[in-house]
Amino acid sequence: MKSPFSILAVIPLLLPLAAFAALGGNAASVELDRAQINGSVQQRQTTAYTVHEITGASGTVLREYVSSNGNVFGVAWHGQFAPDMHQLLDAYFDQYTAAVEADKKSYIGRRPLNIRLPGLVIQMHGYMRAYHTRAFIPEQVPAGVKEEELW
């Protein structure tokens, strides 16, 4: 039988595995995200929000859009591999999977994914080794910011 202390000792090792900025979360995760993809961070300030751009060693680029109140209202990703949507969307993941299933039932074939739900927009396109994804919470996008800015 394992002691409770050995189990507790493993928990901190597992935490970095779910490090990506969760949509709707806060900006405190940027450093964890940088470490997760072994990248470097550049920050760009606009009048309405801050973009934390993390470039990974593999060339993957993750952008986290953070409002002035510190909440991540959007994330965008492009790179050779599709992102882990569960990590990226966190609390919105179930809503995303239900929408994808409904989309599959109404369409046969391949096309870019364009999900627009109340409270969540997810768009995905690309092909092998060139994936582009973005997700944002429309109600949290700062006033005056256009959707096109969030890629």
Side-chain angles (χ1 to χ4, degrees):
M1 185 167 134
K2 294 184 180 185
S3 77
F5 296 111
S6 64
I7 294 169
L8 290 175
V10 174
I11 291 173
L13 298 174
L14 298 176
L15 293 177
L17 297 176
F20 284 111
L23 190 62
N26 64 44
S29 65
V30 172
E31 178 55 29
L32 292 173
D33 298 338
R34 185 209 58 77
Q36 179 73 19
I37 64 173
N38 190 25
S40 60
V41 179
Q42 294 208 354
Q43 204 175 70
R44 183 173 41 97
Q45 183 72 44
T46 72
T47 55
Y49 58 88
T50 303
V51 180
H52 299 272
E53 183 174 281
I54 304 169
T55 304
S58 68
T60 297
V61 176
L62 170 64
R63 290 187 186 93
E64 302 173 17
Y65 297 88
V66 182
S67 64
S68 58
N69 66 4
N71 289 332
V72 178
F73 67 87
V75 293
W77 171 297
H78 66 89
Q80 293 184 13
F81 307 101
D84 181 336
M85 295 304 287
H86 195 268
Q87 289 178 345
L88 215 56
L89 300 177
D90 196 34
Y92 294 89
F93 183 74
D94 291 339
Q95 201 175 354
Y96 158 75
T97 55
V100 167
E101 286 303 314
D103 187 63
K104 283 180 184 177
K105 289 178 183 173
S106 68
Y107 182 83
I108 298 173
R110 291 182 172 235
R111 66 178 169 164
L113 182 65
N114 188 12
I115 297 173
R116 291 184 176 272
L117 303 170
L120 180 64
V121 173
I122 301 169
Q123 296 172 316
M124 206 182 289
H125 68 276
Y127 49 89
M128 184 127 12
R129 299 189 157 299
Y131 296 98
H132 299 268
T133 303
R134 76 172 174 175
F136 60 92
I137 306 166
E139 295 80 17
Q140 291 186 16
V141 174
V145 175
K146 296 179 181 169
E147 279 186 24
E148 295 79 34
E149 294 178 48
L150 306 177
W151 276 108

Coordinates of all heavy atoms in Angstrom, one line a residue, residues 3 5 10 26 34 37 40 43 50 52-53 57 62-63 71 73 76 79 81 93 110 120 129 135 140 144-145 150:
S3 N 1.9 5.1 0.6 CA 1.5 6.1 1.7 C 0.9 7.3 1.0 O 1.2 7.6 -0.1 CB 2.8 6.5 2.5 OG 3.6 7.4 1.7
F5 N 1.7 10.2 1.5 CA 2.8 11.2 1.2 C 3.4 11.0 -0.1 O 3.7 11.9 -0.8 CB 3.8 11.2 2.3 CG 3.3 11.6 3.7 CD1 3.2 10.7 4.7 CD2 2.9 12.9 3.9 CE1 2.7 11.0 5.9 CE2 2.4 13.3 5.1 CZ 2.2 12.3 6.1
V10 N 3.7 13.2 -5.9 CA 3.6 13.1 -7.4 C 2.8 14.3 -7.9 O 3.0 14.7 -9.1 CB 3.0 11.8 -7.7 CG1 2.8 11.7 -9.2 CG2 4.0 10.7 -7.3
N26 N -6.7 33.2 -16.2 CA -6.0 34.5 -15.9 C -4.6 34.4 -16.6 O -4.1 33.4 -17.0 CB -5.9 34.8 -14.5 CG -5.2 33.8 -13.7 OD1 -4.1 33.4 -14.1 ND2 -5.7 33.4 -12.5
R34 N 5.0 28.9 -21.4 CA 6.3 29.1 -22.0 C 7.2 27.8 -21.7 O 7.8 27.2 -22.6 CB 7.0 30.3 -21.5 CG 8.4 30.5 -22.3 CD 9.4 31.3 -21.4 NE 9.7 30.6 -20.2 CZ 10.5 29.6 -20.0 NH1 11.0 29.0 -21.1 NH2 10.7 29.1 -18.8
I37 N 5.9 24.5 -23.6 CA 6.3 24.3 -25.1 C 7.8 24.7 -25.3 O 8.2 24.8 -26.4 CB 5.4 25.1 -26.0 CG1 5.4 26.6 -25.8 CG2 4.0 24.6 -25.9 CD1 4.6 27.3 -26.9
S40 N 10.0 30.9 -26.0 CA 10.3 32.3 -25.5 C 9.0 33.1 -25.6 O 8.2 32.9 -26.5 CB 11.4 32.9 -26.3 OG 11.0 33.0 -27.7
Q43 N 5.9 40.1 -25.5 CA 4.6 40.7 -25.1 C 4.4 41.9 -25.9 O 5.3 42.7 -26.2 CB 4.7 41.1 -23.6 CG 3.4 41.2 -22.9 CD 3.7 41.5 -21.4 OE1 4.2 42.6 -21.1 NE2 3.4 40.5 -20.6
T50 N -3.4 42.9 -24.0 CA -2.0 42.5 -24.1 C -2.0 41.1 -24.8 O -2.8 40.3 -24.5 CB -1.3 42.4 -22.7 OG1 -1.5 43.6 -22.1 CG2 0.1 42.0 -22.9
H52 N 0.4 37.9 -25.3 CA 1.5 37.2 -24.9 C 1.8 36.1 -26.0 O 1.0 35.2 -26.1 CB 1.3 36.5 -23.5 CG 1.0 37.4 -22.4 ND1 2.0 38.0 -21.7 CD2 -0.2 37.9 -22.0 CE1 1.4 38.8 -20.8 NE2 0.1 38.8 -21.0
E53 N 2.8 36.3 -26.7 CA 3.1 35.4 -27.8 C 4.3 34.5 -27.4 O 5.4 34.9 -27.2 CB 3.5 36.1 -29.1 CG 3.7 35.2 -30.3 CD 3.9 36.0 -31.6 OE1 2.9 36.4 -32.2 OE2 5.1 36.1 -32.0
A57 N 10.1 25.8 -29.3 CA 11.3 25.4 -30.0 C 11.0 24.7 -31.3 O 11.8 24.7 -32.3 CB 12.1 24.4 -29.1
L62 N 1.9 30.2 -29.8 CA 0.7 30.3 -29.0 C 0.5 31.8 -28.6 O 1.5 32.4 -28.1 CB 0.8 29.4 -27.8 CG -0.3 29.6 -26.7 CD1 -1.7 29.2 -27.3 CD2 0.1 28.8 -25.5
R63 N -0.6 32.3 -28.9 CA -0.9 33.7 -28.5 C -2.0 33.7 -27.5 O -3.1 33.0 -27.7 CB -1.3 34.5 -29.7 CG -0.2 34.8 -30.7 CD -0.7 35.8 -31.7 NE 0.4 36.0 -32.7 CZ 0.5 35.3 -33.8 NH1 -0.5 34.4 -34.1 NH2 1.4 35.5 -34.7
N71 N -7.9 38.7 -17.6 CA -8.5 37.5 -18.0 C -8.1 37.1 -19.5 O -8.0 38.0 -20.3 CB -10.0 37.5 -17.9 CG -10.5 37.5 -16.5 OD1 -9.8 37.0 -15.6 ND2 -11.6 38.1 -16.2
F73 N -9.2 36.2 -22.8 CA -10.4 36.2 -23.5 C -10.3 35.5 -24.8 O -11.3 35.2 -25.5 CB -11.0 37.6 -23.7 CG -10.2 38.5 -24.5 CD1 -10.4 38.5 -25.9 CD2 -9.2 39.4 -24.0 CE1 -9.6 39.4 -26.7 CE2 -8.5 40.2 -24.8 CZ -8.6 40.2 -26.2
A76 N -4.9 31.8 -29.6 CA -4.7 31.4 -31.0 C -3.5 30.6 -31.1 O -2.5 30.8 -30.3 CB -4.6 32.7 -31.9
G79 N 0.9 26.0 -35.9 CA 2.1 25.2 -35.8 C 1.9 23.9 -36.6 O 0.9 23.7 -37.2
F81 N 1.4 20.9 -35.4 CA 0.5 19.9 -34.8 C -0.7 20.6 -34.3 O -0.7 21.8 -33.9 CB 1.2 19.2 -33.6 CG 2.6 18.6 -34.0 CD1 3.7 19.3 -33.7 CD2 2.6 17.4 -34.7 CE1 5.0 18.7 -34.1 CE2 3.8 16.9 -35.1 CZ 5.0 17.5 -34.8
F93 N -14.4 23.1 -23.0 CA -14.1 21.9 -23.8 C -15.4 21.0 -24.0 O -15.6 20.6 -25.2 CB -13.1 21.0 -23.1 CG -12.7 19.8 -23.9 CD1 -11.9 19.9 -25.1 CD2 -13.1 18.5 -23.6 CE1 -11.6 18.8 -25.9 CE2 -12.8 17.4 -24.3 CZ -12.0 17.6 -25.5
R110 N -14.7 17.2 -45.6 CA -13.7 18.0 -44.9 C -14.0 19.5 -45.2 O -14.3 19.9 -46.3 CB -12.3 17.7 -45.3 CG -11.9 16.3 -44.9 CD -10.5 16.1 -45.3 NE -10.0 14.8 -44.8 CZ -8.9 14.7 -44.0 NH1 -8.2 15.7 -43.8 NH2 -8.6 13.5 -43.5
L120 N -19.0 31.5 -27.0 CA -17.8 30.8 -27.5 C -17.7 30.7 -29.0 O -18.7 30.4 -29.7 CB -17.8 29.3 -27.0 CG -16.6 28.5 -27.3 CD1 -15.3 29.0 -26.7 CD2 -16.8 27.1 -26.9
R129 N 0.7 19.5 -40.8 CA 1.9 20.3 -40.4 C 1.7 21.8 -40.6 O 2.6 22.6 -40.5 CB 3.1 19.9 -41.3 CG 3.5 18.5 -41.0 CD 4.8 18.2 -41.7 NE 5.6 17.1 -41.2 CZ 6.1 17.0 -40.0 NH1 5.9 17.8 -39.0 NH2 6.9 15.9 -39.7
A135 N -9.7 30.6 -30.5 CA -11.0 30.5 -29.7 C -11.1 31.7 -28.9 O -10.0 32.2 -28.4 CB -10.9 29.2 -28.8
Q140 N -16.3 38.7 -23.7 CA -15.1 39.3 -23.0 C -14.2 40.0 -23.9 O -13.2 40.6 -23.4 CB -14.4 38.1 -22.3 CG -15.2 37.5 -21.1 CD -14.4 36.5 -20.3 OE1 -13.2 36.4 -20.4 NE2 -15.2 35.7 -19.5
G144 N -14.4 47.6 -29.2 CA -13.6 48.1 -30.3 C -12.6 47.2 -30.9 O -12.0 47.5 -31.9
V145 N -12.4 46.0 -30.3 CA -11.5 45.0 -30.9 C -12.3 44.1 -31.9 O -13.4 43.6 -31.6 CB -10.9 44.1 -29.8 CG1 -10.1 43.0 -30.3 CG2 -10.1 44.9 -28.8
L150 N -7.6 38.7 -33.7 CA -7.4 37.5 -32.8 C -6.9 36.3 -33.5 O -7.3 35.2 -33.2 CB -8.7 37.2 -31.9 CG -9.3 38.4 -31.2 CD1 -10.6 37.9 -30.5 CD2 -8.3 39.0 -30.2

